[in-house]
Amino acid sequence: MHHSRTLWRWLAVICVLSFAVLGWVGTEIYLAAPPIPRQVASSNGDVLFSEGQVQRGQQSWLSAGGQQLGSVWGHGSYLAPDWSADWLHREALALRAIWSLKQFGKPYEEIGRENQAALDARLRHEMRANTYDAATGAVTLSPERAQAVREVTAHYTSLFGTDGSLDKLREQYAMQPGSLANPDDLKALPAFFFWAAWSAATDRPGESDLSYTSNWPHEPLVGNKPTAGAGIWSFASIILMLGAIAGMIFFHGRAKEEDDPVPPKNDPLFDLKPTASMRATRKYFYVVIALILAQVGMGIVTAHYAVEGDSFFGIPLGSVLPFIVSRTIHTQFAVLWIATAWLATGLYIAPAISGKEPKYQALGVNVLFYALLFIVAGSTVTGWLGTLQHLGTDFSFWIGNQGLEFTSMGRVWQILLFVGLLIWVLLLGRGLWPALRTPSSSRGLIAMVFLAALCIGGFYATSLTWGKSTHYAMVEYWRWWLVHLWVEGFFEVFATAVIALLFTRLGLIGAATANSAIILETIVFLFGGILGTLHHLYFTGTPTFVIAIGAMFSALEVVPLAMIGVEAWRNYKRSKAAPWVQAYKWPILCFIAVGFWNVVGAGLLGFAINTPIALYYMQGLNLTAAHGHAALFGVYGMLGIGLMLFCLRGLTERAAWSDRLLAPMFWSLNIGLAMMVFMSLVPSGIYQAWASVTKGTWYARSPEFVHSQVMETLVWMRVPGDVVFAIGCACLALFAWRLATGGRGKTVVVGSMAPQRP
């Protein structure tokens, strides 16, 4: 008991200090973010962009699809360009061409190497010079550069408008004509792209060869190359990671772990009788499966757009289901179905653990279900309609699609979801309260489940922190609080604690051992995970020290994964501990698969791109997508499926259970995911990384490269994995159908999961 209290104190200290540092970093990002000029004008007085146009251009891009339509500073989708890199390259080429014609009367390609070298040096000096005047808020450009900006502006105005000459390019970008219907929005859009590119090349005040984005993207024309700090902190983070892993293995080798207890002769949960609120969670899991099918279907469509642009095997699907919509649903549903599985698990186990059913608990579970269903359906429909009808920035921000990856639903829906999550925490707390009040060896685990749930509900408030005109650097700061800390942080703590709690109820793990182990694991995970959030923010207009902190603490996120194999092996042995454990074979195998994908997806592929020097070249490329698919589905998805199967085991007639469907489901999902990642995403990501290193980020994301024969062939290489993966989804759907029909009207009569007094 004393040991557990000490661990709890350490956990509290680490969380307080880590969040204090993360909050301080946020204030520094606010102060050091690239300034937004009130005016961009030429030295002869011609105004290119006026006050407020950069902010409105940001809103315009987000309403046109935002991070589902290309990216800015590397964050977003991968089919259309990174607009900051694309603008920077186009402006540099245009300015150099203007000088060549003006000075030599010939195109740049015809003026000879010596003259080319002189213009190249002049170009780097011109593009890096910071002409922002803090007193007036104006950026002043030379007349020639102003002319180049006007030329690039005309290109983007035509691209996001209806110019028919760019139809082929739009198809390559999977864009629809008239992405921006409002003329003022269309006029303001280039101002935001100019500012994003200007921030990426212009030196910070008092610095040389160091832009506001730490020289991202890689662009040789303007002298953008990795900073010395990016290389130094990359090496330092690798050394720290190796040392920490060695320390953990040494500690684990010296510490004598208690053996698992002798399992009971019979299933302790065989006589568990589901309460009304527990039975009410069953429909949550069927919705989870429906969302999985929808998400996978949208993923197939989205991947195919990388080849045909706006068609699906010749069918002009893009006119009713544009790439923006299909990708939004694909990414949003991925988070929603995983979250729903975990929320439902919490509601299922709460009365089972406490042994008591709070009054009106079933009513609350049912009301919450329909409220969440309304939010999911409503946000999807309004986002879809807003995109198709081009309803503008106000509609997109408040009701439609905000254009931000993984958190795209409109603000009204975010507020409703926040309220729904608070209701979930209340329902979970009511269910767990009797167990929290009763002394038991499992009370620490139960407390961890509730505290993680409280953080899940509370931290979703970070989705409400930015407004329509919030600086883009601060939008990214708060968005990663939500995506990294909410999804990758507290949800994982919650799920891990739930698994440990379930294993103790099955008698496969000692409660006291599990209690200490979970607290220690949470300490190790959050110690690196909270400040590891900053590895997403290396190049988003942040101070340079963000690279140092993000690199070092992100490396520590990998350390706990060094022992995942040991835990997976122990879980496998637990599945063989007694004959009755075979009833939980597939949930346990899902938890073992989580360990595998934690090592491969989160560890191997994650750390491959997380060092500053690697991410400098790979941000916004398919190696990021490879890590995302392997980690999101492999870790969180398999975890959600495992928890769902465990709960469904106690909610349906055992005669309706079919391991014959679960076996192909499990292996098809895992094998299909591996094929998808290693036959398509990883090779294409490596090929893109080569292009980024040799020629620049703009080239790795250009239509010439993305639609090259090699890249399109690698897209087609996803098909075998997609087919195998789809078979797994079909088996899961058939399994659910069998449960829904074969077990209808029947319940398993059981006893209690209530904790026992020690």
Side-chain angles (χ1 to χ4, degrees):
M1 184 65 70
H2 176 74
H3 179 61
S4 293
R5 287 175 180 171
T6 302
L7 289 176
W8 276 107
R9 292 191 188 101
W10 273 110
L11 178 60
V13 169
I14 286 170
C15 286
V16 170
L17 292 179
S18 296
F19 277 111
V21 173
L22 192 59
W24 168 75
V25 171
T27 63
E28 292 298 310
I29 292 174
Y30 178 81
L31 295 173
I36 298 177
R38 296 192 186 97
Q39 177 179 279
V40 178
S42 68
S43 57
N44 57 18
D46 292 337
V47 176
L48 301 172
F49 306 117
S50 56
E51 185 172 3
Q53 280 198 299
V54 172
Q55 294 93 324
R56 179 157 188 171
Q58 175 181 318
Q59 298 167 27
S60 301
W61 175 60
L62 293 174
S63 71
Q67 292 177 342
Q68 311 297 350
L69 181 62
S71 57
V72 165
W73 295 345
H75 293 296
S77 60
Y78 312 132
L79 187 51
D82 180 272
W83 303 110
S84 47
D86 189 64
W87 178 292
L88 185 59
H89 187 72
R90 288 178 182 276
E91 183 184 338
L93 289 180
L95 179 56
R96 197 174 63 179
I98 290 169
W99 284 337
S100 180
L101 289 174
K102 183 177 181 180
Q103 186 171 346
F104 302 104
K106 298 178 182 179
Y108 172 83
E109 293 75 17
E110 300 176 7
I111 61 175
R113 291 186 177 182
E114 291 186 2
N115 292 330
Q116 288 178 342
L119 288 188
D120 289 345
R122 181 183 176 188
L123 177 67
R124 287 192 291 273
H125 179 270
E126 176 96 3
M127 296 293 285
R128 301 204 72 88
N130 192 336
T131 59
Y132 175 74
D133 186 341
T136 63
V139 168
T140 303
L141 307 178
S142 67
E144 293 85 359
R145 187 174 179 185
Q147 181 183 342
V149 168
R150 281 191 289 267
E151 290 180 11
V152 182
T153 295
H155 167 75
Y156 283 109
T157 302
S158 298
L159 181 66
F160 282 79
T162 56
D163 188 343
S165 65
L166 295 178
D167 283 344
K168 178 61 177 179
L169 188 58
R170 291 192 196 96
E171 181 183 341
Q172 293 174 323
Y173 291 166
M175 291 178 61
Q176 296 295 307
S179 296
L180 290 172
N182 187 312
D184 292 332
D185 290 340
L186 190 59
K187 184 178 179 181
L189 176 72
F192 173 64
F193 288 165
F194 164 80
W195 171 80
W198 174 84
S199 303
T202 299
D203 286 336
R204 300 173 191 245
E207 299 283 355
S208 177
D209 296 325
L210 179 64
S211 74
Y212 289 101
T213 61
S214 295
N215 292 351
W216 193 93
H218 180 221
E219 176 51 83
L221 287 178
V222 301
N224 264 10
K225 57 186 179 181
T227 62
I232 291 170
W233 288 111
S234 295
F235 287 121
S237 68
I238 293 172
I239 294 170
L240 175 65
M241 179 192 69
L242 294 175
I245 289 175
M248 172 163 283
I249 294 174
F250 177 75
F251 173 80
H252 186 268
R254 290 195 60 186
K256 186 181 183 306
E257 290 192 2
E258 295 184 21
D259 293 330
D260 290 336
V262 177
K265 292 183 179 180
N266 299 305
D267 184 354
L269 305 184
F270 187 83
D271 294 326
L272 176 67
K273 183 177 181 178
T275 65
S277 68
M278 292 168 68
R279 292 194 299 271
T281 62
R282 182 161 52 181
K283 53 183 169 288
Y284 283 77
F285 297 116
Y286 292 133
V287 168
V288 166
I289 295 170
L291 291 175
I292 291 174
L293 296 176
Q295 189 233 339
V296 171
M298 290 297 166
I300 292 171
V301 172
T302 300
H304 191 79
Y305 281 148
V307 177
E308 289 195 60
D310 58 359
S311 299
F312 187 74
F313 293 101
I315 302 172
L317 189 61
S319 58
V320 293
L321 183 64
F323 174 87
I324 296 167
V325 174
S326 67
R327 191 177 189 276
T328 297
I329 296 175
H330 179 63
T331 55
Q332 193 75 10
F333 277 19
V335 175
L336 289 174
W337 76 255
I338 293 170
T340 303
W342 295 3
L343 299 182
T345 298
L347 295 174
Y348 172 82
I349 68 168
I353 290 171
S354 66
K356 295 182 180 180
E357 172 90 343
K359 192 175 182 180
Y360 302 123
Q361 183 79 351
L363 175 63
V365 172
N366 285 321
V367 170
L368 180 62
F369 171 78
Y370 291 108
L372 292 177
L373 196 62
F374 171 72
I375 292 169
V376 171
S379 62
T380 302
V381 170
T382 54
W384 196 334
L385 290 176
T387 299
L388 287 178
Q389 300 297 320
H390 308 296
L391 296 179
T393 57
D394 287 333
F395 183 90
S396 296
F397 179 79
W398 289 104
I399 303 174
N401 183 349
Q402 283 196 49
L404 295 170
E405 196 173 32
F406 295 111
T407 174
S408 58
M409 63 175 62
R411 178 54 50 85
V412 170
W413 302 111
Q414 288 178 326
I415 293 171
L416 292 175
L417 182 56
F418 177 53
V419 173
L421 289 170
L422 294 182
I423 294 173
W424 171 71
V425 173
L426 176 63
L427 292 171
L428 185 63
R430 292 177 77 235
L432 293 176
W433 183 245
L436 288 170
R437 296 180 58 188
T438 304
S440 72
S441 56
S442 299
R443 189 159 66 166
L445 278 176
I446 298 168
M448 182 64 77
V449 169
F450 179 69
L451 287 175
L454 193 62
C455 290
I456 289 170
F459 269 77
Y460 190 75
T462 56
S463 68
L464 311 177
T465 51
W466 61 80
K468 283 183 62 179
S469 300
T470 300
H471 194 292
Y472 191 69
M474 293 306 299
V475 172
E476 282 298 282
Y477 170 75
W478 287 115
R479 186 175 73 90
W480 285 110
W481 269 62
L482 181 66
V483 177
H484 185 90
L485 288 173
W486 191 66
V487 176
E488 300 182 37
F490 297 113
F491 260 122
E492 182 157 332
V493 172
F494 171 80
T496 305
V498 167
I499 291 173
L501 198 53
L502 295 176
F503 273 36
T504 61
R505 289 298 177 266
L506 290 173
L508 301 178
I509 301 178
T513 303
N515 183 48
S516 296
I518 288 301
I519 302 173
L520 182 60
E521 183 177 332
T522 303
I523 289 173
V524 175
F525 177 74
L526 293 183
F527 182 70
I530 294 174
L531 291 177
T533 305
L534 297 177
H535 78 256
H536 299 286
L537 303 174
Y538 292 153
F539 312 119
T540 56
T542 56
T544 53
F545 66 76
V546 167
I547 292 177
I549 299 175
M552 300 304 281
F553 282 91
S554 182
L556 293 177
E557 289 186 89
V558 182
V559 174
L561 304 181
M563 304 307 299
I564 286 290
V566 175
E567 184 61 25
W569 172 247
R570 296 193 67 177
N571 281 340
Y572 177 74
K573 290 197 298 182
R574 287 162 187 152
S575 70
K576 307 289 186 180
W580 59 265
V581 183
Q582 289 300 299
Y584 303 98
K585 172 183 177 181
W586 296 109
I588 293 175
L589 281 179
C590 286
F591 302 150
I592 294 172
V594 168
F596 171 81
W597 287 110
N598 243 325
V599 172
V600 174
L604 178 64
L605 295 176
F607 192 72
I609 63 172
N610 278 358
T611 58
I613 193 68
L615 198 59
Y616 179 83
Y617 291 110
M618 298 178 190
Q619 180 156 291
L621 307 183
N622 273 320
L623 275 175
T624 306
H627 159 63
H629 281 74
L632 187 59
F633 187 89
V635 178
Y636 303 108
M638 291 307 298
L639 196 54
I641 291 174
L643 293 173
M644 176 177 67
L645 292 177
F646 187 94
C647 297
L648 287 175
R649 185 80 200 190
L651 287 170
T652 52
E653 175 61 52
R654 290 177 183 261
W657 196 268
S658 175
D659 281 355
R660 288 183 301 175
L661 288 171
L662 289 181
M665 179 277 296
F666 175 83
W667 292 112
S668 294
L669 289 180
N670 283 281
I671 293 173
L673 179 61
M675 293 171 66
M676 182 192 314
V677 169
F678 292 105
M679 290 174 59
S680 177
L681 293 176
V682 168
S684 64
I686 293 173
Y687 187 47
Q688 277 189 302
W690 167 82
S692 177
V693 171
T694 56
K695 293 190 177 181
T697 305
W698 71 272
Y699 179 67
R701 292 283 299 275
S702 67
E704 294 82 7
F705 187 83
V706 170
H707 290 280
S708 65
Q709 184 176 356
V710 173
M711 286 294 289
E712 291 200 349
T713 299
L714 289 172
V715 171
W716 282 111
M717 289 298 291
R718 281 191 60 161
V719 173
D722 286 349
V723 170
V724 174
F725 192 87
I727 290 172
C729 294
C731 290
L732 182 60
L734 289 173
F735 170 79
W737 177 260
R738 178 182 171 90
L739 290 187
T741 55
R744 185 176 296 159
K746 304 174 185 178
T747 56
V748 183
V749 180
V750 273
S752 172
M753 268 176 79
Q756 305 298 315
R757 289 178 179 273

